Amino acid sequence: MPRILPSETADASSGVQHSFLRLGLVLALSAVSAVSTAQADQTPAPALVHVSASASIEAAPDKASIEARLWEKTPASKVDDKAPDSQKQGEAARQARQTLEGRMSTLIQALESAGIESRLIKAGSLTLRPERYYERTANDQNPQQWQRTHLERPISISLKDLDQVPEVIDLLLGAGVNQLAGVQYQLSDRAALEDKVLQQALTKARHKAELMAETLGATLGDVQSINESSQSPRPPMMAMRADMAEAKSGGNEYRPGELSLESDVQVSWGLTSAD
């Protein structure tokens, strides 16, 4: 049986004491940390002032774009799934495309002759869309299905002179466009105006915040947050279908009115007490 010497017993006792001391120190530090954290959580939040402000600018448009569409449709034919005549359908589509391309070429030439720069005329690509529909005769209980191909090309004209709008509409109607998609009025310096209206909104926000702080005996500190939302509603777009127009423009006036640019801001500042 091994013997335990007195020195070994003393060393073991000392080790246990050191362990308890270390544990007590850790617990004490944890308690201090918990107290500090609780005190930090009880620190009052900084005083803030939240302000909303808005500004708007009215501006007359100085340019416009006009969009129109031309289309052709192949003759309708009965659908026969048993013996479809794809060659005949293809030839009909080819002839319709040639007719459509000729109309588009004539329209572009007329626009250029009227003084519209070529770079301001954008003729879109050709699109084809198969169409199917049913027709029922008086004595036929089973409706007959028909098919045809719809071929279409869009065209867009940009104008820097608003006085040209009526003339261009006359040219489009004279060329027999199938649809006038609309006239959209725009601003050349839109970006600069948006910056200006934003500055006005921020200036209003700061004025309101300073007034509130001064009235309550405080001083504005640093900006804490900024949020901005711009609203630029478009003016009503003049739109009409060519087949619904009674006649050419006939000297009618087109008044785009003014465009409104708006900016809303929400800003927060810190507050410093005058005391």
Side-chain angles (χ1 to χ4, degrees):
M1 180 176 180
R3 298 176 60 188
I4 300 176
L5 299 177
S7 59
E8 293 177 348
T9 303
D11 291 340
S13 176
S14 177
V16 171
Q17 291 177 356
H18 283 299
S19 297
F20 276 110
L21 288 174
R22 285 196 298 271
L23 177 60
L25 180 59
V26 170
L27 292 175
L29 291 175
S30 299
V32 172
S33 176
V35 172
S36 300
T37 302
Q39 291 177 346
D41 291 341
Q42 294 175 1
T43 301
L48 298 176
V49 58
H50 306 283
V51 175
S52 297
S54 60
S56 63
I57 292 179
E58 304 291 330
D62 56 358
K63 63 179 182 179
S65 63
I66 304 176
E67 296 183 358
R69 295 180 181 276
L70 289 80
W71 63 64
E72 291 287 336
K73 296 183 179 183
T74 60
S77 59
K78 294 182 179 180
V79 175
D80 187 353
D81 294 330
K82 296 181 180 179
D85 192 347
S86 57
Q87 183 175 0
K88 182 178 180 181
Q89 296 173 15
E91 177 60 23
R94 187 188 68 81
Q95 293 179 0
R97 183 188 67 81
Q98 288 182 344
T99 302
L100 180 60
E101 299 293 358
R103 292 174 59 198
M104 179 63 75
S105 178
T106 300
L107 174 57
I108 292 175
Q109 292 177 6
L111 292 170
E112 292 177 343
S113 298
I116 308 300
E117 300 180 36
S118 300
R119 63 185 183 86
L120 300 179
I121 303 172
K122 180 180 179 180
S125 58
L126 175 70
T127 59
L128 289 81
R129 183 177 70 251
E131 295 180 346
R132 290 196 175 193
Y133 61 96
Y134 290 89
E135 282 188 356
R136 185 194 301 273
T137 61
N139 300 325
D140 189 2
Q141 298 300 321
N142 298 319
Q144 173 65 51
Q145 188 177 25
W146 295 76
Q147 65 183 358
R148 61 189 177 192
T149 301
H150 178 103
L151 298 88
E152 182 175 312
R153 285 194 66 184
I155 184 171
S156 175
I157 304 100
S158 299
L159 300 175
K160 296 182 178 180
D161 183 1
L162 299 185
D163 291 337
Q164 291 181 308
V165 170
E167 180 183 6
V168 170
I169 291 178
D170 282 346
L171 288 172
L172 293 173
L173 292 176
V177 297
N178 299 93
Q179 183 181 34
L180 279 177
V183 180
Q184 182 66 56
Y185 294 96
Q186 303 161 348
L187 296 166
S188 314
D189 55 348
R190 186 185 191 91
L193 290 174
E194 287 177 344
D195 290 345
K196 183 177 180 181
V197 72
L198 176 58
Q199 289 176 341
Q200 291 181 358
L202 290 171
T203 299
K204 286 185 177 181
R206 184 170 187 86
H207 173 73
K208 290 173 65 175
E210 289 176 342
L211 179 61
M212 294 166 67
E214 180 181 357
T215 303
L216 298 176
T219 304
L220 283 186
D222 295 331
V223 174
Q224 303 298 313
S225 66
I226 304 176
N227 292 307
E228 185 267 343
S229 59
S230 297
Q231 300 179 9
S232 304
R234 295 182 178 181
M237 184 172 64
M238 187 283 293
M240 59 185 296
R241 289 184 61 90
D243 55 4
M244 296 175 62
E246 295 181 358
K248 296 184 179 181
S249 62
N252 292 337
E253 296 183 6
Y254 295 89
R255 300 173 184 246
E258 291 189 332
L259 301 180
S260 177
L261 304 180
E262 300 179 4
S263 180
D264 298 315
V265 297
Q266 299 82 38
V267 189
S268 297
W269 279 272
L271 282 179
T272 303
S273 175
D275 299 332

